[in-house]
Amino acid sequence: MTTRRDPSSQIWASIDIGSNSFRLELARLAGDRYQRISYTKESVRLGAGLDAQGMLTEAAMQRGLACLKGFGEQLAGLPRERIRAVATQTLREARNRNAFLARAEAVLGHPVEVISGREEARLIYAGVARLQPSDKPRLVIDIGGRSTEMILGKGRKPMLAESFGVGSVGLSLRFFADGRYTAEAFRAAQVAAGAELEEALTLFRPELWQEALGSSGTVGAVSQILAASGETDGRITPDALRWCIARCLEAGSQDKLMLPGLKEDRRPVVAGGLCILYTLLTQFGIAELLPTKGALRQGVIFDLAERLRPSGPRDPRAGSVAELQRRFGVDTAQAERVAAQAERLYRQLGARPSPELLRELRWAAALHEMGMLVSHHDHHRHSAYLIAHVDAPGFSTNQLQRLGTLALGQRGGLRKVEAQLADPSLLDQLLALRLAVILCHARTPSVERGPDLVRHGRRLTLRCPANWGATQARTRFLLREEAEAWGRTGLLELAVA
């Protein structure tokens, strides 16, 4: 099937770069109707390539890059704004992830965003809630290769979303690396899984939900085994899991394991997945876990479509920014003054600024003084750390790090962000933000338009209004200091006229 289609047709694409499998889904949305056009899944086992030092091996990276190259070919002709690629636990952990992400973007032809565990959980629930709607309070579980997500929600609203560092790949490598199945290994794996999940016992206790649903790989694989063997109709129960584990022990090894419905790509990780499932059902009082249609990849598409729909729900990132302002006591009037000036200047730097880059700039301005709650001195450093490390629904870790870089570079010397300024789009954002902070330094409402920014290649001129007199002497002084700071970088020339 070819994916070269009329760009005007409403086709969306999501790429889920998981620890065990990579998935590409193309779909069409029409109101609440979701129509899958194509689905591609490849067993890459990226998580199995994470060595003891937390580095992805070259062999694992090559497997991932080969898969992404194929995905990129299928994306040809689709509008970039309708494509989103997200990566989960393995790339959250990998120390050399940035090197892999740069190569991945080159072969895929699209940026890859690393999302936090809680953001992954939120997007999983978005996929489940839309494809399997219900008004019942529900528990949704997704067991991935190196993490397990648990979400409490009702309707389309997730009320609690958490991620835990245990998954089918990681547990299988730790306790079944030689492919042998023993009762001792199963017990040890269940204890390890229980230790990781124990802190969730009160958060997700049975009285808080009426139905339990399982999303994605591990749950789907075990459900298929149970249905194909006739043990259940696909629902997962403690008794059914005990039956599966007994079959593993009878086989003695993964090579000899013959279960109806067991796919070859699941064979190396099925034991770890069974241990996590059994631990969850027994510890959390889950009588039966029902497989569900929705998953991360659909949630990514729904979330992306809502971001771009003018009359749709508000971008969740805007809500996260407002909540962070409230939590950290940000002076919102000052933040809005800086944002307005930064946007005005940024629009003068380019003919048609990217809407997403413009939103990033306004969010950076909205949060640039978050660190004031910690300390007024060097507040930009505190702001940068908080932004880069906070859990903020809707944001990827990449984007939070970019906002943190803008907050760090809002004042002072530029050497601390010099490496990031190789990105021309970030350079323009930072220039606009720094100038806006200076123009608003008095923290008072201003009816004046302020200076205009004129660009001629690497040379920029800040033209101050003719009515600026002695009252603006301090601002002129700060602007000239700013011009000197940029001059020392050699990246651009800034003149104040």
Side-chain angles (χ1 to χ4, degrees), residues 250-261:
E250 285 176 3
S253 71
Q254 70 178 40
D255 293 337
K256 296 179 180 179
L257 182 63
M258 299 298 171
L259 285 174

Side-chain angles (χ1 to χ4, degrees), residues 185-217:
F186 270 94
R187 281 195 294 269
Q190 288 166 28
V191 169
E196 183 66 35
L197 295 165
E198 193 168 27
E199 65 182 272
L201 287 173
T202 57
L203 298 175
F204 298 94
R205 57 191 184 275
E207 57 265 33
L208 297 177
W209 46 268
Q210 293 178 13
E211 63 179 1
L213 304 175
S215 168
S216 205

